[in-house]
């Protein structure tokens, strides 16, 4: 019976569901995970890379994380091509705000704008929704460090720590247990490693499968840093989840 | 037109003054016209120039600032509001111009009092003292002579 109400995004099913939106979320649940953790000193974003190949011409670009403006970054989970459209839209929106008001856009406003766009695709136009969930991390002078996540329906929430993509429920429950308000950046990074190691399907974690980024504000400026492979390796080693694992406890 | 507007910044306030005449060629229609509009709880906009344009543009800005407040839960700061206003005036300049000269005054928690001079061509300057209109020819020199940084309100109104 569900089959009859699949094909158009713009109609409800008799049970009051929007199947296309749900199918989009299903697509994302197969995509590489991304998590975000807010600490006292800033926000940590971690993501699982799906495209891993020795042949990849790498280093400069990231697969999962993108800077939206000087003070906002995001991590994506889902269809990369869809994500690129949304990221570009977000970047334009952020610059448009900066041009009009000569100050950086408050993060929640950018999130709302993107979500309003996503919502449009669930109500009119007849086009499928975006198959992307995003984590937004940033700093603004109104609320300081903030983490938001949005999904194809256009809903969003503000979080202290959250996960999207594959195994996000498992990741969320670990975060629920382990997150505390007093975390500093180092501890947040370590927690991120722990969560990734427990929720990723692969047996061992290596730097090439992961992306880490931090968003901090050391002085007057927000700093977005993607960790290098060496830094990730050091992190993994410290947490003892590297390829050469010490013995299982 | 030549409506006179005068403004300057004190220690924790901005003072705005505007003439109150509204004339149609040789006929004095009104001598108690209020040309200073309250944009929000901490901002004022003094406007001079073409009658319809004056009210229309000020109300447009005022309502858009309100919309921002309802949408986001907070008011724009003075600097942001001034730039927004200038952007709108600049846009209209090449579509359907508003002939208004403006002085925007605001007080922010963080930045304190500030004054913005905007002319009808949408040029903008943040200033300590500013004036528009015929009255500016007199007042600017007086302000230059007498203005001091951080005047308390008693001195300012003098």
């Amino acid at each position: 019976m569900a089959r009859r109400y699949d094909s158009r995004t713009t109609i409800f099913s008799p049970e009051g569901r929007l199947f296309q939106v749900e199918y989009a979320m299903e697509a994302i649940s197969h995509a590489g995970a991304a998590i975000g953790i807010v600490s006292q000193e800033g926000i940590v974003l971690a993501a699982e890379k799906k495209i891993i190949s020795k042949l990849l011409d790498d280093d400069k670009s990231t697969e999962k994380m993108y800077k939206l403006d000087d003070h906002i970054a995001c991590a994506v989970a889902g269809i990369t091509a869809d994500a690129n459209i949304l990221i570009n839209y977000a970047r334009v929106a952020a610059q448009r705000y900066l041009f009009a008001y000569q100050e950086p856009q408050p993060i929640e406003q950018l999130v709302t704008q993107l979500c309003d766009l996503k919502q449009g695709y669930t109500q009119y136009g007849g086009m499928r929704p975006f198959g992307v969930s995003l984590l937004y991390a940033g700093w603004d002078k109104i609320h300081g460090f903030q983490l938001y996540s949005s999904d194809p329906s256009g809903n969003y929430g503000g979080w202290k720590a959250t996960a999207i993509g594959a195994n996000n429920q498992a990741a969320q429950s670990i975060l629920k247990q382990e997150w505390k308000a007093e975390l500093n950046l180092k501890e947040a990074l370590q927690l991120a490693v722990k969560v990734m190691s427990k929720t990723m399907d692969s047996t061992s974690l290596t730097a090439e499968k992961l992306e880490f980024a931090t968003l901090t504000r050391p002085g007057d400026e927000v700093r977005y840093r993607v960790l290098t492979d060496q830094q990730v390796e050091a992190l993994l080693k410290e947490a003892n989840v590297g390829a050469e694992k010490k013995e299982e406890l | 037109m030549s409506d006179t507007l005068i403004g300057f910044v004190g220690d924790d306030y901005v003072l705005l003054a505007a003439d109150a005449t509204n004339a149609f060629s040789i006929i004095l229609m009104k001598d108690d016209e209020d040309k200073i509009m309250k944009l929000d709880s901490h901002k004022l906009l003094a406007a001079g120039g073409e009658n319809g344009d004056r009210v229309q543009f000020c109300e447009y800005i005022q309502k858009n600032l309100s919309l921002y407040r309802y949408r986001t839960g907070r008011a724009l700061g003075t600097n942001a509001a001034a730039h927004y206003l200038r952007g709108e005036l600049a846009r209209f300049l090449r579509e359907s111009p508003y002939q208004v000269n403006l002085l925007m005054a605001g007080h922010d928690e963080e930045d304190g009092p500030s004054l913005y001079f905007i002319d009808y061509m949408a040029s903008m300057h943040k200033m300590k003292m500013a004036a528009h209109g015929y009255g500016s020819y007199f007042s600017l020199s007086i302000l230059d002579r007498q203005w001091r940084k951080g005047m308390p309100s008693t001195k300012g109104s003098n």
Side-chain angles (χ1 to χ4, degrees), chain A residues 14-81:
Chain A
E15 304 95 47
R17 294 158 72 176
L18 291 170
F19 278 114
Q20 282 300 310
V21 176
E22 292 185 20
Y23 295 163
M25 304 214 230
E26 178 65 24
I28 295 166
S29 67
H30 298 305
I35 64 170
I37 303 173
V38 181
S39 78
Q40 299 249 343
E41 298 170 314
I43 308 181
V44 169
L45 291 172
E48 173 193 355
K49 285 204 268 204
K50 282 292 193 173
I51 309 171
I52 305 160
S53 163
K54 285 203 168 58
L55 297 173
L56 251 190
D57 183 20
D58 60 346
D59 273 5
K60 286 311 162 189
S61 61
T62 52
E63 182 192 314
K64 307 276 288 178
M65 303 200 194
Y66 301 89
K67 200 171 168 189
L68 297 180
D69 196 354
D70 284 340
H71 63 300
I72 316 180
C74 73
V76 306
I79 303 174
T80 309

Side-chain angles (χ1 to χ4, degrees), chain B residues 106-127:
Chain B
H107 193 291
D108 305 305
E109 276 254 2
E110 235 185 74
D111 305 323
S114 51
L115 176 68
Y116 291 83
F117 166 104
I118 301 143
D119 79 358
Y120 71 104
M121 298 286 270
S123 72
M124 182 169 82
H125 298 280
K126 181 169 190 277
M127 304 172 79

Side-chain angles (χ1 to χ4, degrees), chain A residues 123-219:
Chain A
Q123 194 172 19
Y124 37 73
M127 289 181 276
R128 67 165 175 82
F130 289 96
V132 198
S133 280
L134 293 110
L135 290 178
Y136 312 78
W139 184 96
D140 64 38
K141 67 180 185 194
I142 314 167
H143 296 302
F145 288 111
Q146 296 147 75
L147 176 68
Y148 296 92
S149 102
S150 72
D151 64 25
S153 67
N155 284 322
Y156 74 92
W159 298 88
K160 298 168 184 166
T162 191
I164 53 175
N167 295 326
N168 64 64
Q169 308 94 309
Q172 287 263 193
S173 59
I174 301 174
L175 286 170
K176 200 161 158 191
Q177 285 174 319
E178 308 268 340
W179 185 89
K180 356 181 262 262
E182 305 83 34
L183 286 173
N184 62 35
L185 197 71
K186 193 91 212 276
E187 291 165 337
L189 277 165
Q190 285 164 345
L191 177 56
V193 172
K194 184 174 178 179
V195 173
M196 293 307 279
S197 72
K198 294 210 170 145
T199 60
M200 269 166 71
D201 285 333
S202 39
T203 43
S204 68
L205 293 192
T206 56
E208 61 169 11
K209 294 182 196 166
L210 293 168
E211 256 172 32
F212 281 85
T214 57
L215 193 116
T216 53
R217 192 167 181 263

Side-chain angles (χ1 to χ4, degrees), chain B residues 98-150:
Chain B
Y98 284 96
Q99 279 176 283
V100 270
N101 291 313
L102 307 143
L103 290 180
M104 182 195 270
H107 193 291
D108 305 305
E109 276 254 2
E110 235 185 74
D111 305 323
S114 51
L115 176 68
Y116 291 83
F117 166 104
I118 301 143
D119 79 358
Y120 71 104
M121 298 286 270
S123 72
M124 182 169 82
H125 298 280
K126 181 169 190 277
M127 304 172 79
K128 294 290 193 302
M129 55 196 133
H132 283 290
Y134 287 137
S136 68
Y137 293 111
F138 302 104
S139 49
L140 280 172
S141 50
I142 300 175
L143 286 167
D144 273 346
R145 271 289 195 102
Q146 310 249 329
W147 185 88
R148 297 282 173 273
K149 194 166 144 72

